[in-house]
Amino acid sequence: ALRGEWAPPRRRYRGAVTSPRYRCAACGNLTRFDVVTNRRTRAFHHYSVGGELSIEEMEILDETIEGVTCRWCGHGDAVLVVEIEPGADLNDA
């Protein structure tokens, strides 16, 4: 991004972003959902000498899931939050 040209920075998020697991009661989908999230974070922005941005030490201060829609069938009203035990078979959820 030199000489007046602007380009969006590359983002490398380090650390896990936690999220619940979902299941669509209409079609059985466990893997594909559109999730709208509002998240407020604090992060360390580290720029290389070449101007490449690396986002490190991201801390989530507040997070609200505003909506979840099944990617397979389009249902938003049939999506359920599934409690999964570590190591459990997702097909039993």
Side-chain angles (χ1 to χ4, degrees), residues 20 27 51 75 86:
C27 71
H75 251 289

Side-chain angles (χ1 to χ4, degrees), residues 6 13-14 23-24 26 28 33 36 44 48 52-53 59 61 80 84-85 92-93:
W6 183 86
Y13 297 103
R14 296 189 177 144
R23 177 181 210 128
C24 180
F33 298 93
V36 177
F44 170 64
S48 71
E52 184 177 328
L53 172 62
E59 176 185 359
L61 303 174
L80 307 171
I84 303 290
E85 296 285 329
D92 295 335

